[in-house]
Short mmCIF file of all heavy atoms in Angstrom, two decimals:
data_model
loop_
_atom_site.label_atom_id
_atom_site.label_comp_id
_atom_site.label_asym_id
_atom_site.label_seq_id
_atom_site.Cartn_x
_atom_site.Cartn_y
_atom_site.Cartn_z
N MET A 1 10.51 -2.47 18.18
CA MET A 1 10.11 -1.53 17.10
C MET A 1 8.65 -1.81 16.76
O MET A 1 8.27 -2.95 16.59
CB MET A 1 10.98 -1.68 15.86
CG MET A 1 10.76 -0.63 14.84
SD MET A 1 11.77 -0.91 13.35
CE MET A 1 10.80 -2.20 12.49
N ARG A 2 7.89 -0.78 16.62
CA ARG A 2 6.49 -0.96 16.30
C ARG A 2 6.36 -1.30 14.77
O ARG A 2 6.97 -0.60 13.94
CB ARG A 2 5.73 0.31 16.62
CG ARG A 2 4.26 0.09 16.90
CD ARG A 2 3.66 1.41 17.30
NE ARG A 2 2.76 1.82 16.19
CZ ARG A 2 1.50 1.43 16.13
NH1 ARG A 2 0.99 0.67 17.01
NH2 ARG A 2 0.74 1.80 15.12
N ILE A 3 5.60 -2.28 14.47
CA ILE A 3 5.45 -2.68 13.09
C ILE A 3 4.24 -2.04 12.53
O ILE A 3 3.10 -2.12 13.10
CB ILE A 3 5.36 -4.18 12.98
CG1 ILE A 3 6.70 -4.79 13.38
CG2 ILE A 3 5.05 -4.64 11.55
CD1 ILE A 3 6.63 -6.26 13.79
N THR A 4 4.35 -1.39 11.39
CA THR A 4 3.15 -0.80 10.74
C THR A 4 3.00 -1.40 9.37
O THR A 4 3.93 -1.62 8.67
CB THR A 4 3.29 0.75 10.63
OG1 THR A 4 4.49 1.02 9.96
CG2 THR A 4 3.27 1.40 11.94
N ILE A 5 1.79 -1.66 9.03
CA ILE A 5 1.44 -2.24 7.70
C ILE A 5 0.43 -1.26 7.10
O ILE A 5 -0.58 -0.94 7.66
CB ILE A 5 0.82 -3.66 7.82
CG1 ILE A 5 1.88 -4.60 8.36
CG2 ILE A 5 0.41 -4.14 6.44
CD1 ILE A 5 1.52 -5.24 9.60
N SER A 6 0.83 -0.76 5.92
CA SER A 6 -0.08 0.18 5.26
C SER A 6 -0.26 -0.13 3.79
O SER A 6 0.49 -0.88 3.19
CB SER A 6 0.49 1.61 5.43
OG SER A 6 1.83 1.64 4.95
N VAL A 7 -1.36 0.46 3.24
CA VAL A 7 -1.65 0.30 1.79
C VAL A 7 -1.19 1.55 1.15
O VAL A 7 -1.58 2.69 1.55
CB VAL A 7 -3.08 0.03 1.55
CG1 VAL A 7 -3.45 0.03 0.09
CG2 VAL A 7 -3.56 -1.31 2.23
N GLU A 8 -0.29 1.42 0.21
CA GLU A 8 0.35 2.57 -0.39
C GLU A 8 0.02 2.69 -1.90
O GLU A 8 0.30 1.69 -2.63
CB GLU A 8 1.87 2.49 -0.24
CG GLU A 8 2.61 3.68 -0.71
CD GLU A 8 4.18 3.44 -0.49
OE1 GLU A 8 4.57 3.64 0.64
OE2 GLU A 8 4.82 3.04 -1.43
N PRO A 9 -0.57 3.76 -2.37
CA PRO A 9 -0.81 3.91 -3.77
C PRO A 9 0.43 4.12 -4.58
O PRO A 9 1.36 4.80 -4.11
CB PRO A 9 -1.77 5.10 -3.91
CG PRO A 9 -1.60 5.86 -2.65
CD PRO A 9 -1.04 4.93 -1.63
N ARG A 10 0.61 3.49 -5.73
CA ARG A 10 1.79 3.59 -6.56
C ARG A 10 1.51 4.05 -7.97
O ARG A 10 0.41 3.72 -8.49
CB ARG A 10 2.49 2.28 -6.57
CG ARG A 10 2.99 1.70 -5.29
CD ARG A 10 4.38 2.08 -5.01
NE ARG A 10 4.83 1.68 -3.67
CZ ARG A 10 5.41 0.53 -3.36
NH1 ARG A 10 5.62 -0.41 -4.36
NH2 ARG A 10 5.77 0.20 -2.12
N HIS A 11 2.50 4.65 -8.54
CA HIS A 11 2.45 4.99 -9.99
C HIS A 11 2.85 3.72 -10.79
O HIS A 11 3.32 2.79 -10.27
CB HIS A 11 3.36 6.18 -10.31
CG HIS A 11 3.11 7.40 -9.61
ND1 HIS A 11 4.03 8.06 -8.76
CD2 HIS A 11 1.96 8.19 -9.51
CE1 HIS A 11 3.50 9.13 -8.25
NE2 HIS A 11 2.26 9.22 -8.62
N SER A 12 2.79 3.86 -12.12
CA SER A 12 3.15 2.71 -13.01
C SER A 12 4.66 2.44 -12.81
O SER A 12 5.06 1.27 -13.07
CB SER A 12 2.80 3.00 -14.39
OG SER A 12 3.36 4.16 -14.85
N ASP A 13 5.50 3.42 -12.44
CA ASP A 13 6.88 3.14 -12.26
C ASP A 13 7.22 2.69 -10.85
O ASP A 13 8.38 2.60 -10.43
CB ASP A 13 7.72 4.34 -12.66
CG ASP A 13 7.55 5.54 -11.70
OD1 ASP A 13 6.70 5.43 -10.77
OD2 ASP A 13 8.24 6.55 -11.88
N ASN A 14 6.21 2.39 -10.04
CA ASN A 14 6.30 1.83 -8.73
C ASN A 14 6.76 2.82 -7.68
O ASN A 14 7.06 2.51 -6.54
CB ASN A 14 7.24 0.63 -8.66
CG ASN A 14 6.76 -0.42 -7.66
OD1 ASN A 14 5.58 -0.60 -7.45
ND2 ASN A 14 7.71 -1.14 -7.09
N SER A 15 6.71 4.10 -8.00
CA SER A 15 6.97 5.17 -6.97
C SER A 15 5.67 5.49 -6.24
O SER A 15 4.60 5.29 -6.77
CB SER A 15 7.59 6.40 -7.64
OG SER A 15 6.70 6.94 -8.58
N ARG A 16 5.85 5.95 -5.03
CA ARG A 16 4.64 6.25 -4.24
C ARG A 16 3.85 7.43 -4.77
O ARG A 16 4.44 8.42 -5.17
CB ARG A 16 5.11 6.61 -2.78
CG ARG A 16 4.05 6.44 -1.73
CD ARG A 16 4.59 6.82 -0.40
NE ARG A 16 4.59 8.31 -0.23
CZ ARG A 16 3.53 8.96 0.26
NH1 ARG A 16 2.44 8.27 0.59
NH2 ARG A 16 3.51 10.25 0.38
N CYS A 17 2.52 7.29 -4.80
CA CYS A 17 1.68 8.41 -5.23
C CYS A 17 1.07 9.03 -3.97
O CYS A 17 0.21 8.45 -3.31
CB CYS A 17 0.60 7.92 -6.15
SG CYS A 17 -0.51 9.32 -6.75
N GLY A 18 1.46 10.28 -3.71
CA GLY A 18 0.88 11.02 -2.62
C GLY A 18 0.02 12.18 -3.12
O GLY A 18 -0.37 13.05 -2.43
N HIS A 19 -0.27 12.11 -4.40
CA HIS A 19 -1.02 13.17 -5.05
C HIS A 19 -2.53 13.05 -4.82
O HIS A 19 -2.98 11.92 -4.47
CB HIS A 19 -0.76 13.17 -6.58
CG HIS A 19 0.66 13.21 -6.96
ND1 HIS A 19 1.46 12.18 -7.40
CD2 HIS A 19 1.54 14.35 -6.87
CE1 HIS A 19 2.64 12.61 -7.60
NE2 HIS A 19 2.82 13.91 -7.33
N LEU A 20 -3.25 14.06 -5.11
CA LEU A 20 -4.70 13.93 -5.07
C LEU A 20 -5.11 13.37 -6.42
O LEU A 20 -4.64 13.84 -7.53
CB LEU A 20 -5.30 15.31 -4.92
CG LEU A 20 -5.20 15.96 -3.51
CD1 LEU A 20 -5.66 17.39 -3.54
CD2 LEU A 20 -5.88 15.20 -2.48
N VAL A 21 -5.93 12.35 -6.38
CA VAL A 21 -6.41 11.75 -7.62
C VAL A 21 -7.92 11.74 -7.62
O VAL A 21 -8.58 11.76 -6.63
CB VAL A 21 -5.86 10.38 -7.87
CG1 VAL A 21 -4.36 10.43 -8.05
CG2 VAL A 21 -6.26 9.44 -6.76
N LYS A 22 -8.49 11.63 -8.86
CA LYS A 22 -9.92 11.51 -9.05
C LYS A 22 -10.26 9.99 -8.67
O LYS A 22 -9.34 9.17 -8.71
CB LYS A 22 -10.31 11.81 -10.49
CG LYS A 22 -10.05 13.26 -10.83
CD LYS A 22 -10.33 13.45 -12.32
CE LYS A 22 -9.95 14.85 -12.75
NZ LYS A 22 -9.92 15.02 -14.21
N PRO A 23 -11.59 9.76 -8.42
CA PRO A 23 -11.94 8.37 -8.17
C PRO A 23 -11.50 7.39 -9.18
O PRO A 23 -11.28 6.25 -8.94
CB PRO A 23 -13.50 8.49 -8.10
CG PRO A 23 -13.76 9.91 -7.75
CD PRO A 23 -12.67 10.69 -8.40
N SER A 24 -11.29 7.84 -10.40
CA SER A 24 -10.82 7.02 -11.49
C SER A 24 -9.35 6.67 -11.38
O SER A 24 -8.90 5.79 -12.09
CB SER A 24 -11.06 7.70 -12.83
OG SER A 24 -10.30 8.88 -12.97
N GLY A 25 -8.59 7.37 -10.48
CA GLY A 25 -7.23 7.11 -10.32
C GLY A 25 -6.34 8.06 -11.18
O GLY A 25 -5.17 8.08 -11.09
N LYS A 26 -7.11 8.89 -12.02
CA LYS A 26 -6.33 9.87 -12.76
C LYS A 26 -5.93 11.04 -11.91
O LYS A 26 -6.68 11.41 -10.98
CB LYS A 26 -7.22 10.33 -13.91
CG LYS A 26 -7.52 9.19 -14.92
CD LYS A 26 -6.49 9.13 -16.06
CE LYS A 26 -6.78 8.06 -16.99
NZ LYS A 26 -6.32 6.69 -16.57
N PRO A 27 -4.84 11.70 -12.24
CA PRO A 27 -4.41 12.90 -11.38
C PRO A 27 -5.42 14.02 -11.42
O PRO A 27 -6.02 14.33 -12.47
CB PRO A 27 -3.11 13.31 -12.03
CG PRO A 27 -3.04 12.63 -13.34
CD PRO A 27 -3.85 11.40 -13.24
N ARG A 28 -5.65 14.63 -10.29
CA ARG A 28 -6.57 15.76 -10.18
C ARG A 28 -5.95 17.05 -10.78
O ARG A 28 -6.69 17.87 -11.30
CB ARG A 28 -6.92 15.97 -8.66
CG ARG A 28 -8.23 16.71 -8.43
CD ARG A 28 -8.53 16.65 -6.94
NE ARG A 28 -9.13 15.41 -6.49
CZ ARG A 28 -10.44 15.22 -6.43
NH1 ARG A 28 -11.28 16.11 -6.79
NH2 ARG A 28 -10.95 14.08 -6.04
N ASP A 29 -4.67 17.16 -10.47
CA ASP A 29 -3.97 18.36 -10.98
C ASP A 29 -2.93 17.90 -12.04
O ASP A 29 -1.90 17.33 -11.70
CB ASP A 29 -3.32 19.04 -9.78
CG ASP A 29 -2.47 20.25 -10.23
OD1 ASP A 29 -2.57 20.60 -11.42
OD2 ASP A 29 -1.76 20.77 -9.42
N PRO A 30 -3.14 18.16 -13.30
CA PRO A 30 -2.25 17.81 -14.33
C PRO A 30 -0.86 18.35 -14.16
O PRO A 30 0.12 17.79 -14.67
CB PRO A 30 -2.87 18.32 -15.66
CG PRO A 30 -4.26 18.73 -15.27
CD PRO A 30 -4.27 19.04 -13.75
N ALA A 31 -0.73 19.47 -13.42
CA ALA A 31 0.63 20.10 -13.21
C ALA A 31 1.39 19.47 -12.12
O ALA A 31 2.57 19.80 -11.85
CB ALA A 31 0.48 21.58 -13.00
N SER A 32 0.81 18.51 -11.38
CA SER A 32 1.46 17.91 -10.22
C SER A 32 2.57 16.98 -10.60
O SER A 32 3.33 16.50 -9.74
CB SER A 32 0.44 17.24 -9.27
OG SER A 32 -0.11 16.13 -10.03
N GLY A 33 2.59 16.57 -11.85
CA GLY A 33 3.64 15.55 -12.26
C GLY A 33 3.17 14.16 -11.95
O GLY A 33 3.95 13.17 -12.22
N CYS A 34 1.96 14.00 -11.55
CA CYS A 34 1.43 12.71 -11.22
C CYS A 34 1.01 11.96 -12.52
O CYS A 34 0.43 12.57 -13.41
CB CYS A 34 0.17 12.83 -10.30
SG CYS A 34 -0.51 11.27 -9.79
N THR A 35 1.37 10.66 -12.61
CA THR A 35 1.08 9.97 -13.77
C THR A 35 -0.16 9.03 -13.61
O THR A 35 -0.53 8.26 -14.47
CB THR A 35 2.26 9.02 -14.20
OG1 THR A 35 2.65 8.25 -13.07
CG2 THR A 35 3.40 9.84 -14.67
N GLY A 36 -0.80 9.17 -12.39
CA GLY A 36 -1.96 8.36 -12.09
C GLY A 36 -1.63 7.13 -11.32
O GLY A 36 -0.50 6.63 -11.35
N ARG A 37 -2.54 6.69 -10.47
CA ARG A 37 -2.29 5.49 -9.69
C ARG A 37 -2.65 4.24 -10.50
O ARG A 37 -3.73 4.16 -11.07
CB ARG A 37 -3.16 5.55 -8.40
CG ARG A 37 -2.79 6.70 -7.60
CD ARG A 37 -3.72 6.75 -6.37
NE ARG A 37 -3.28 7.92 -5.54
CZ ARG A 37 -3.82 8.28 -4.38
NH1 ARG A 37 -4.81 7.55 -3.89
NH2 ARG A 37 -3.31 9.25 -3.68
N THR A 38 -1.73 3.33 -10.46
CA THR A 38 -1.95 2.05 -11.21
C THR A 38 -2.08 0.82 -10.22
O THR A 38 -2.83 -0.08 -10.53
CB THR A 38 -0.88 1.80 -12.23
OG1 THR A 38 0.34 1.86 -11.64
CG2 THR A 38 -0.98 2.81 -13.34
N THR A 39 -1.35 0.89 -9.12
CA THR A 39 -1.38 -0.23 -8.17
C THR A 39 -1.45 0.28 -6.75
O THR A 39 -1.11 1.42 -6.46
CB THR A 39 -0.20 -1.19 -8.33
OG1 THR A 39 0.98 -0.45 -8.13
CG2 THR A 39 -0.16 -1.85 -9.66
N TYR A 40 -1.91 -0.61 -5.89
CA TYR A 40 -1.90 -0.38 -4.41
C TYR A 40 -1.02 -1.46 -3.83
O TYR A 40 -1.26 -2.64 -3.99
CB TYR A 40 -3.26 -0.43 -3.85
CG TYR A 40 -4.08 0.75 -4.24
CD1 TYR A 40 -4.86 0.76 -5.39
CD2 TYR A 40 -4.09 1.90 -3.46
CE1 TYR A 40 -5.64 1.80 -5.71
CE2 TYR A 40 -4.81 3.00 -3.85
CZ TYR A 40 -5.58 3.00 -4.99
OH TYR A 40 -6.30 4.03 -5.32
N ALA A 41 0.11 -1.03 -3.17
CA ALA A 41 1.05 -2.01 -2.65
C ALA A 41 0.80 -2.13 -1.10
O ALA A 41 0.48 -1.06 -0.48
CB ALA A 41 2.49 -1.59 -2.88
N VAL A 42 0.91 -3.29 -0.58
CA VAL A 42 0.86 -3.48 0.87
C VAL A 42 2.27 -3.40 1.43
O VAL A 42 3.17 -4.17 0.93
CB VAL A 42 0.23 -4.81 1.23
CG1 VAL A 42 0.22 -5.02 2.74
CG2 VAL A 42 -1.18 -4.92 0.68
N VAL A 43 2.64 -2.41 2.27
CA VAL A 43 3.92 -2.26 2.79
C VAL A 43 3.99 -2.46 4.27
O VAL A 43 3.27 -1.90 5.02
CB VAL A 43 4.45 -0.82 2.43
CG1 VAL A 43 5.92 -0.66 2.88
CG2 VAL A 43 4.27 -0.53 0.93
N CYS A 44 4.92 -3.36 4.63
CA CYS A 44 5.20 -3.69 6.07
C CYS A 44 6.45 -3.04 6.50
O CYS A 44 7.45 -3.04 5.75
CB CYS A 44 5.21 -5.19 6.27
SG CYS A 44 5.79 -5.73 7.93
N SER A 45 6.50 -2.38 7.70
CA SER A 45 7.72 -1.66 8.08
C SER A 45 8.85 -2.59 8.36
O SER A 45 10.02 -2.22 8.34
CB SER A 45 7.44 -0.80 9.31
OG SER A 45 7.03 -1.62 10.38
N GLN A 46 8.55 -3.88 8.57
CA GLN A 46 9.58 -4.87 8.76
C GLN A 46 9.96 -5.66 7.52
O GLN A 46 11.13 -5.94 7.27
CB GLN A 46 9.19 -5.86 9.83
CG GLN A 46 10.31 -6.77 10.35
CD GLN A 46 9.82 -7.86 11.29
OE1 GLN A 46 8.70 -7.91 11.71
NE2 GLN A 46 10.77 -8.74 11.56
N HIS A 47 9.00 -6.02 6.73
CA HIS A 47 9.21 -6.80 5.54
C HIS A 47 9.30 -6.06 4.22
O HIS A 47 9.54 -6.68 3.19
CB HIS A 47 8.06 -7.88 5.41
CG HIS A 47 8.12 -8.87 6.62
ND1 HIS A 47 7.12 -8.90 7.55
CD2 HIS A 47 9.04 -9.81 6.89
CE1 HIS A 47 7.43 -9.83 8.40
NE2 HIS A 47 8.57 -10.39 8.09
N GLY A 48 8.92 -4.81 4.19
CA GLY A 48 8.83 -4.08 2.92
C GLY A 48 7.63 -4.49 2.25
O GLY A 48 6.56 -4.76 2.86
N ASP A 49 7.63 -4.55 0.89
CA ASP A 49 6.46 -4.87 0.09
C ASP A 49 6.03 -6.28 0.39
O ASP A 49 6.79 -7.25 0.47
CB ASP A 49 6.75 -4.78 -1.34
CG ASP A 49 6.87 -3.34 -1.88
OD1 ASP A 49 6.99 -2.48 -1.02
OD2 ASP A 49 6.78 -3.09 -3.05
N VAL A 50 4.70 -6.43 0.67
CA VAL A 50 4.14 -7.74 0.90
C VAL A 50 3.41 -8.19 -0.32
O VAL A 50 2.42 -7.61 -0.73
CB VAL A 50 3.14 -7.66 2.11
CG1 VAL A 50 2.47 -9.01 2.32
CG2 VAL A 50 3.85 -7.17 3.35
N GLY A 51 3.90 -9.22 -0.97
CA GLY A 51 3.32 -9.72 -2.24
C GLY A 51 3.49 -8.74 -3.36
O GLY A 51 4.38 -7.85 -3.31
N THR A 52 2.61 -8.84 -4.32
CA THR A 52 2.63 -7.94 -5.40
C THR A 52 1.56 -6.87 -5.28
O THR A 52 0.71 -7.04 -4.46
CB THR A 52 2.52 -8.72 -6.77
OG1 THR A 52 1.34 -9.55 -6.65
CG2 THR A 52 3.70 -9.58 -7.03
N GLY A 53 1.64 -5.87 -6.14
CA GLY A 53 0.63 -4.85 -6.10
C GLY A 53 -0.71 -5.28 -6.47
O GLY A 53 -0.87 -6.30 -7.15
N HIS A 54 -1.70 -4.49 -6.05
CA HIS A 54 -3.13 -4.81 -6.38
C HIS A 54 -3.71 -3.72 -7.13
O HIS A 54 -3.41 -2.50 -6.90
CB HIS A 54 -3.92 -4.94 -5.10
CG HIS A 54 -3.30 -6.07 -4.19
ND1 HIS A 54 -3.65 -7.38 -4.31
CD2 HIS A 54 -2.35 -5.98 -3.23
CE1 HIS A 54 -2.92 -8.09 -3.44
NE2 HIS A 54 -2.17 -7.30 -2.80
N HIS A 55 -4.58 -3.97 -8.12
CA HIS A 55 -5.05 -2.92 -9.00
C HIS A 55 -6.11 -2.03 -8.25
O HIS A 55 -6.24 -0.90 -8.65
CB HIS A 55 -5.60 -3.49 -10.24
CG HIS A 55 -4.57 -4.04 -11.10
ND1 HIS A 55 -3.67 -3.22 -11.74
CD2 HIS A 55 -4.19 -5.25 -11.51
CE1 HIS A 55 -2.85 -3.94 -12.43
NE2 HIS A 55 -3.08 -5.17 -12.29
N ILE A 56 -6.79 -2.58 -7.30
CA ILE A 56 -7.70 -1.73 -6.54
C ILE A 56 -7.44 -1.85 -5.04
O ILE A 56 -7.05 -2.89 -4.55
CB ILE A 56 -9.21 -2.03 -6.89
CG1 ILE A 56 -9.56 -3.53 -6.65
CG2 ILE A 56 -9.56 -1.61 -8.27
CD1 ILE A 56 -11.04 -3.81 -6.75
N LYS A 57 -7.78 -0.75 -4.37
CA LYS A 57 -7.48 -0.66 -2.94
C LYS A 57 -8.24 -1.74 -2.16
O LYS A 57 -7.75 -2.30 -1.18
CB LYS A 57 -7.87 0.73 -2.45
CG LYS A 57 -7.23 1.07 -1.12
CD LYS A 57 -7.52 2.47 -0.78
CE LYS A 57 -6.77 2.86 0.50
NZ LYS A 57 -7.05 4.20 0.92
N ALA A 58 -9.45 -2.05 -2.59
CA ALA A 58 -10.29 -3.00 -1.89
C ALA A 58 -9.64 -4.39 -1.84
O ALA A 58 -9.97 -5.19 -1.00
CB ALA A 58 -11.66 -3.09 -2.56
N LEU A 59 -8.78 -4.66 -2.85
CA LEU A 59 -8.09 -5.99 -2.84
C LEU A 59 -6.90 -5.91 -1.94
O LEU A 59 -6.39 -6.96 -1.46
CB LEU A 59 -7.66 -6.32 -4.22
CG LEU A 59 -8.74 -6.78 -5.21
CD1 LEU A 59 -8.21 -7.10 -6.56
CD2 LEU A 59 -9.40 -8.07 -4.67
N ALA A 60 -6.24 -4.77 -1.83
CA ALA A 60 -4.99 -4.69 -1.03
C ALA A 60 -5.33 -4.69 0.46
O ALA A 60 -4.55 -5.20 1.32
CB ALA A 60 -4.28 -3.40 -1.39
N GLU A 61 -6.46 -4.14 0.88
CA GLU A 61 -6.75 -3.97 2.34
C GLU A 61 -6.86 -5.32 3.04
O GLU A 61 -6.27 -5.43 4.12
CB GLU A 61 -8.01 -3.16 2.45
CG GLU A 61 -7.65 -1.65 2.44
CD GLU A 61 -8.82 -0.71 2.22
OE1 GLU A 61 -9.91 -1.22 1.98
OE2 GLU A 61 -8.62 0.49 2.43
N PRO A 62 -7.56 -6.31 2.46
CA PRO A 62 -7.61 -7.63 3.16
C PRO A 62 -6.21 -8.27 3.36
O PRO A 62 -5.92 -8.88 4.29
CB PRO A 62 -8.46 -8.53 2.28
CG PRO A 62 -9.16 -7.60 1.30
CD PRO A 62 -8.37 -6.34 1.26
N VAL A 63 -5.32 -8.01 2.35
CA VAL A 63 -3.94 -8.55 2.40
C VAL A 63 -3.18 -7.87 3.55
O VAL A 63 -2.50 -8.51 4.32
CB VAL A 63 -3.20 -8.36 1.06
CG1 VAL A 63 -1.77 -8.78 1.17
CG2 VAL A 63 -3.93 -9.15 0.00
N ALA A 64 -3.35 -6.56 3.67
CA ALA A 64 -2.77 -5.82 4.80
C ALA A 64 -3.27 -6.27 6.11
O ALA A 64 -2.50 -6.50 7.05
CB ALA A 64 -3.00 -4.33 4.60
N ARG A 65 -4.53 -6.54 6.12
CA ARG A 65 -5.16 -6.96 7.40
C ARG A 65 -4.62 -8.37 7.81
O ARG A 65 -4.32 -8.66 8.94
CB ARG A 65 -6.74 -7.03 7.25
CG ARG A 65 -7.45 -6.84 8.50
CD ARG A 65 -8.88 -6.38 8.34
NE ARG A 65 -9.54 -6.93 7.19
CZ ARG A 65 -10.16 -6.25 6.24
NH1 ARG A 65 -10.20 -5.03 6.32
NH2 ARG A 65 -10.79 -6.89 5.28
N GLU A 66 -4.57 -9.19 6.85
CA GLU A 66 -4.04 -10.59 7.04
C GLU A 66 -2.59 -10.59 7.52
O GLU A 66 -2.19 -11.32 8.43
CB GLU A 66 -4.12 -11.35 5.72
CG GLU A 66 -4.22 -12.85 5.81
CD GLU A 66 -4.49 -13.43 4.44
OE1 GLU A 66 -5.63 -13.40 3.96
OE2 GLU A 66 -3.55 -13.95 3.87
N HIS A 67 -1.78 -9.68 6.89
CA HIS A 67 -0.37 -9.63 7.27
C HIS A 67 -0.26 -9.14 8.70
O HIS A 67 0.61 -9.57 9.46
CB HIS A 67 0.38 -8.75 6.31
CG HIS A 67 1.87 -8.86 6.47
ND1 HIS A 67 2.61 -9.92 6.06
CD2 HIS A 67 2.78 -7.99 7.05
CE1 HIS A 67 3.90 -9.67 6.36
NE2 HIS A 67 3.99 -8.57 6.98
N ARG A 68 -1.09 -8.11 9.03
CA ARG A 68 -1.04 -7.53 10.42
C ARG A 68 -1.37 -8.69 11.39
O ARG A 68 -0.78 -8.74 12.50
CB ARG A 68 -2.06 -6.42 10.42
CG ARG A 68 -1.92 -5.40 11.51
CD ARG A 68 -2.85 -4.27 11.35
NE ARG A 68 -2.55 -3.39 10.27
CZ ARG A 68 -3.44 -2.87 9.37
NH1 ARG A 68 -4.66 -3.28 9.44
NH2 ARG A 68 -3.03 -2.11 8.43
N GLN A 69 -2.31 -9.52 11.01
CA GLN A 69 -2.71 -10.61 11.86
C GLN A 69 -1.66 -11.58 12.06
O GLN A 69 -1.43 -12.08 13.16
CB GLN A 69 -4.01 -11.28 11.26
CG GLN A 69 -4.80 -12.10 12.20
CD GLN A 69 -5.38 -11.35 13.30
OE1 GLN A 69 -5.75 -10.13 13.12
NE2 GLN A 69 -5.36 -11.87 14.56
N GLU A 70 -0.84 -11.86 11.03
CA GLU A 70 0.25 -12.76 11.08
C GLU A 70 1.31 -12.26 12.13
O GLU A 70 1.87 -13.06 12.87
CB GLU A 70 0.99 -12.90 9.73
CG GLU A 70 0.32 -13.85 8.80
CD GLU A 70 0.92 -13.83 7.40
OE1 GLU A 70 2.13 -13.58 7.31
OE2 GLU A 70 0.12 -14.00 6.45
N HIS A 71 1.51 -10.95 12.17
CA HIS A 71 2.44 -10.42 13.17
C HIS A 71 1.87 -10.53 14.55
O HIS A 71 2.67 -10.76 15.54
CB HIS A 71 2.67 -8.92 12.85
CG HIS A 71 3.77 -8.70 11.82
ND1 HIS A 71 5.06 -8.95 12.02
CD2 HIS A 71 3.68 -8.27 10.54
CE1 HIS A 71 5.74 -8.66 10.89
NE2 HIS A 71 4.92 -8.27 10.03
N LEU A 72 0.58 -10.43 14.75
CA LEU A 72 -0.02 -10.56 16.06
C LEU A 72 0.01 -11.97 16.58
O LEU A 72 0.25 -12.24 17.72
CB LEU A 72 -1.46 -10.05 16.00
CG LEU A 72 -1.69 -8.59 15.74
CD1 LEU A 72 -3.18 -8.29 15.65
CD2 LEU A 72 -1.09 -7.74 16.85
N THR A 73 -0.23 -12.94 15.70
CA THR A 73 -0.31 -14.39 16.14
C THR A 73 1.04 -15.01 16.18
O THR A 73 1.24 -15.93 16.97
CB THR A 73 -1.28 -15.14 15.19
OG1 THR A 73 -0.85 -15.00 13.85
CG2 THR A 73 -2.71 -14.67 15.31
N ALA A 74 1.98 -14.61 15.32
CA ALA A 74 3.27 -15.26 15.26
C ALA A 74 4.36 -14.10 15.25
O ALA A 74 4.91 -13.88 14.24
CB ALA A 74 3.44 -16.16 14.05
N PRO A 75 4.60 -13.57 16.45
CA PRO A 75 5.59 -12.46 16.47
C PRO A 75 6.98 -12.99 16.01
O PRO A 75 7.36 -14.06 16.44
CB PRO A 75 5.66 -12.05 17.96
CG PRO A 75 4.45 -12.72 18.58
CD PRO A 75 4.10 -13.87 17.72
N PRO A 76 7.64 -12.25 15.17
CA PRO A 76 8.94 -12.68 14.69
C PRO A 76 9.94 -12.84 15.86
O PRO A 76 9.88 -12.08 16.83
CB PRO A 76 9.41 -11.59 13.73
CG PRO A 76 8.52 -10.47 14.03
CD PRO A 76 7.31 -10.98 14.66
N SER A 77 10.83 -13.82 15.75
CA SER A 77 11.80 -14.07 16.88
C SER A 77 12.78 -12.82 16.88
O SER A 77 13.09 -12.27 15.92
CB SER A 77 12.54 -15.33 16.62
OG SER A 77 13.18 -15.34 15.37
N ARG A 78 13.24 -12.55 18.13
CA ARG A 78 14.12 -11.46 18.25
C ARG A 78 15.57 -11.76 17.88
O ARG A 78 16.02 -12.70 18.29
CB ARG A 78 14.13 -10.95 19.69
CG ARG A 78 12.81 -10.44 20.15
CD ARG A 78 12.65 -10.47 21.71
NE ARG A 78 11.28 -10.52 22.08
CZ ARG A 78 10.61 -9.42 22.36
NH1 ARG A 78 11.17 -8.17 22.21
NH2 ARG A 78 9.34 -9.45 22.73
ZN1 ZN B 1 0.71 10.59 -8.14
ZN1 ZN B 2 5.56 -7.96 8.08
#
């Protein structure tokens, strides 16, 4: 199985935010039901959430990169 690690924006209730938001993280369309992005979670297709959420995307990206590297250097045993 191919492992994917991605950075996923989340609302304050920890649900995924796929809405369009302004650079401030506030919802672009008030009618979308979006409550605004509060955290960015690093999600691994094998491990699920990696660590805790990050308040800005720039902090989550290095964690995602590091985790991806861990999979490359130490493949999990079958
Ligand atoms: Zn949203
Ligand atoms: Zn993983």
Side-chain angles (χ1 to χ4, degrees):
M1 188 183 84
R2 208 177 108 87
I3 294 160
T4 54
I5 294 119
S6 53
V7 175
E8 185 181 280
R10 297 265 174 93
H11 302 123
S12 56
D13 67 356
N14 216 31
S15 59
R16 200 181 82 86
C17 180
H19 305 105
L20 289 173
V21 296
K22 295 174 188 168
S24 63
K26 294 271 181 278
R28 201 173 279 267
D29 177 9
S32 66
C34 183
T35 52
R37 294 177 181 184
T38 52
T39 56
Y40 288 88
V42 178
V43 184
C44 170
S45 63
Q46 191 187 351
H47 295 110
D49 285 16
V50 177
T52 51
H54 303 273
H55 288 292
I56 56 170
K57 200 175 185 182
L59 285 178
E61 277 166 348
V63 175
R65 208 158 39 230
E66 204 173 285
H67 190 76
R68 202 172 287 133
Q69 199 61 36
E70 278 173 32
H71 276 289
L72 291 176
T73 53
S77 56
R78 296 159 200 270

